[in-house]
Amino acid sequence: MTSLALPPNSRRPAHRALDVEIVVPVYNEEAALEHSVLRLHRFLSEAFPFSWRIVIADNASTDATPAIAARLSDTLPGVESLRLERKGRGRALRTAWATSEARVVAYMDVDLSTDLRGLLPLVAPLLSGHSDLAIGTRLAHGARVVRGPKRELISRTYNSILHTVLRARFSDAQCGFKAARTDALGSGLLDAVRDDGWFFDTELLVLAQRRGLRIHEVPVDWVDDPDSRVKIVRTAVDDLRGVARLAAAAPLARFLGIGVLSTIAFALLFLLLHGPLGAAGANAAALAITAVGNTAANRRLTFGLRGREDVLRHHVRGAAVFVLTLALSNGALSVLHGIDATPPRGVELAVLVLGSALATVTRYVALKTWVFAHRRRAAAAHPAPLAQDRSAS
C-alpha cells in the first residue's frame, strides 16, 4: 500500500484527534484541481467547525496533476497528496481511508458538483455516533439538482435496479459525496469490498446494509459537471457486472445454492437407504444427515460465522428446524400413502422434495432470526478494531 507522509506545514499536535479527513480522488485533472482544492480549503478554513485534512489521491495521472497536487500540499496547511501508480477511484479511496487516523473519512469529486454546505450535515451524524456511513443523495425529497435528462434517466434507472435486485434501502449510490466512520470501515467492511473502480461506492453501501450498519442520507444541491470524465457505457456495464456479483453473493442466494446441493444429497441418500429402511426411515435418515451439513454450510457461507463459539448451540437449534422439516415431509408422505399404499419410489421422492421446498422459507427465517441470530447481533455490536493506523505506517 502506498505510504503517505505528512508535510511539515500540515502536521497537527499529536494529542489532538483529527475529526474529518476529506479525500479528493483525481485522474488527469490538471485543469480543475487547483481551483477546486483552493475553494474547498477556503470553505473548510472559514465555515467548518471540526478539525480537518484534505488528501488529494492521484490514481496514476499522466498529465500535470501529480505536480499540482504536490505544490498544493507544500503550500496549503492541512493539504496532503497521495500518489498511486495504478488507476481506479475505488483503489484511491481504499488506500487513503485504510490508513487514516481521522474519526471520519469522506470523499467528494474534484469538480465539487455538490454544494459544500452539505458537508457538515453529512459528517455530523457520524461524529456524534448516530450513524456509521453517510451519503449525499440527489434523489431524495429536498435535493436540488441541475443536470440533463440523459444522466437523470441513467441515475434513476441504476438506483431502481439496486432496489429491485439487491434490495438496497439507500436512494443514491452514485453521488460523489460520502463519508464513513473509520471504526465502521475497520470492522472488516473495507476489506470486503472487491471493486477498485466506480462500483466501489455501491458495493460499500450494499455490504454495509447487509451488516446492519446505519446509513444516513443528506439531500444535496448538485450541479452536473459538463466536463465529466466518466465513460457512461463502460461504467454502466461494469456496474451491472458488480450488481450481478453482489446478487450472487447475497445471503439468500447462498442459502438457495446450499439448499439445492442439500436437496441433491438428500435425494441420493433417500434412494440409497429406501431399501433397508423403507420410505419413512430413509426420509428421516437422509434429512438428519443433510441437516447437519446444511446447518454447517449456512453457518459459514450464508451468515458468515467462523470459529467454534456457539457451534453446538447452532447445531442443536438446527436440529429443531430439522424436526419441523421432518414433520412436514412425513405429513406429505402420509398423504401420498393414503392415496396410494405402494407408490413408485420416484413419486415418493418427488413428494418429499416438494415438501422440503415448501419448508424452505420457514427454514431460512428460522436460521436468520433464531439459529444464528445471537452471534450475528454480537458481531454487529462489537466490531473488530481498525487493523491499520497511518501513524504506524
Side-chain angles (χ1 to χ4, degrees):
M1 184 172 290
T2 305
S3 61
L4 178 58
L6 300 179
N9 63 0
S10 65
R11 292 185 184 275
R12 299 183 181 275
H15 64 274
R16 184 180 180 185
L18 182 64
D19 292 321
V20 181
E21 183 169 276
I22 303 162
V23 180
V24 182
V26 292
Y27 173 73
N28 288 349
E29 294 287 356
E30 61 181 7
L33 178 58
E34 184 167 4
H35 173 76
S36 294
V37 170
L38 289 173
R39 178 182 162 197
L40 175 60
H41 189 274
R42 187 183 313 111
F43 171 83
L44 294 171
S45 300
E46 296 175 355
F48 196 67
F50 301 107
S51 59
W52 52 269
R53 178 185 299 141
I54 301 170
V55 176
I56 305 168
D58 169 37
N59 51 116
S61 291
T62 56
D63 62 0
T65 296
I68 297 172
R71 185 176 74 249
L72 291 170
S73 68
D74 288 339
T75 57
L76 292 177
V79 176
E80 300 175 8
S81 62
L82 168 66
R83 168 72 177 180
L84 287 82
E85 299 302 329
R86 298 176 63 191
K87 289 177 61 176
R89 184 184 67 164
R91 179 178 287 108
L93 292 175
R94 183 198 308 278
T95 303
W97 284 359
T99 55
S100 176
E101 78 275 16
R103 296 168 57 199
V104 169
V105 289
Y107 96 88
M108 59 183 64
D109 292 334
V110 69
D111 56 30
L112 302 186
S113 292
T114 306
D115 191 325
L116 293 177
R117 289 174 295 181
L119 183 60
L120 182 56
L122 186 79
V123 302
L126 307 184
L127 291 169
S128 70
H130 175 272
S131 300
D132 301 299
L133 290 88
I135 65 172
T137 174
R138 300 159 296 184
L139 303 178
H141 181 72
R144 299 176 181 177
V145 178
V146 178
R147 62 176 167 184
K150 180 180 178 180
R151 285 185 175 271
E152 181 75 12
L153 176 62
I154 291 173
S155 179
R156 291 189 178 277
T157 300
Y158 178 67
N159 282 282
S160 295
I161 292 173
L162 297 183
H163 296 158
T164 303
V165 178
L166 300 180
R167 301 177 65 189
R169 294 190 294 272
F170 44 87
S171 64
D172 190 353
Q174 295 174 307
C175 182
F177 199 67
K178 295 182 175 69
R181 293 177 58 90
T182 49
D183 56 2
L185 295 176
S187 64
L189 175 60
L190 195 60
D191 292 336
V193 180
R194 290 171 49 185
D195 190 84
D196 285 325
W198 291 97
F199 191 67
F200 175 90
D201 301 48
T202 299
E203 186 169 6
L204 180 73
L205 292 173
V206 170
L207 295 182
Q209 177 183 294
R210 289 178 179 175
R211 292 170 178 235
L213 298 181
R214 297 164 298 177
I215 302 175
H216 177 70
E217 296 199 355
V218 178
V220 296
D221 296 345
W222 192 87
V223 179
D224 190 16
D225 176 20
D227 189 38
S228 174
R229 306 299 174 83
V230 180
K231 298 179 180 179
I232 296 178
V233 175
R234 180 177 176 180
T235 301
V237 172
D238 290 342
D239 285 349
L240 292 177
R241 288 174 179 168
V243 170
R245 174 169 57 81
L246 289 182
L252 182 57
R254 294 187 179 188
F255 171 78
L256 293 175
I258 293 170
V260 169
L261 295 177
S262 296
T263 300
I264 294 173
F266 167 80
L268 294 175
L269 287 170
F270 177 81
L271 294 174
L272 180 66
L273 299 174
H274 188 280
L277 299 180
N283 175 48
L287 275 177
I289 294 171
T290 55
V292 174
N294 186 283
T295 300
N298 277 305
R299 182 179 189 271
R300 180 178 181 85
L301 300 177
T302 302
F303 298 98
L305 301 179
R306 305 288 192 271
R308 296 179 176 274
E309 184 180 355
D310 290 333
V311 65
L312 179 60
R313 181 207 304 239
H314 293 156
H315 277 284
V316 169
R317 291 183 174 181
V321 178
F322 150 74
V323 172
L324 174 62
T325 305
L326 179 62
L328 291 173
S329 60
N330 276 342
L333 199 61
S334 297
V335 171
L336 174 64
H337 287 165
I339 298 172
D340 185 349
T342 57
R345 191 172 304 179
V347 175
E348 289 180 327
L349 178 59
V351 169
L352 291 174
V353 170
L354 179 60
S356 178
L358 293 175
T360 296
V361 174
T362 302
R363 187 185 306 118
Y364 179 74
V365 172
L367 291 176
K368 182 177 181 180
T369 62
W370 182 53
V371 177
F372 302 119
H374 175 73
R375 277 290 303 278
R376 293 173 71 242
R377 283 195 296 265
H382 302 287
L386 189 62
Q388 185 175 8
D389 190 292
R390 176 173 297 169
S391 61
S393 62

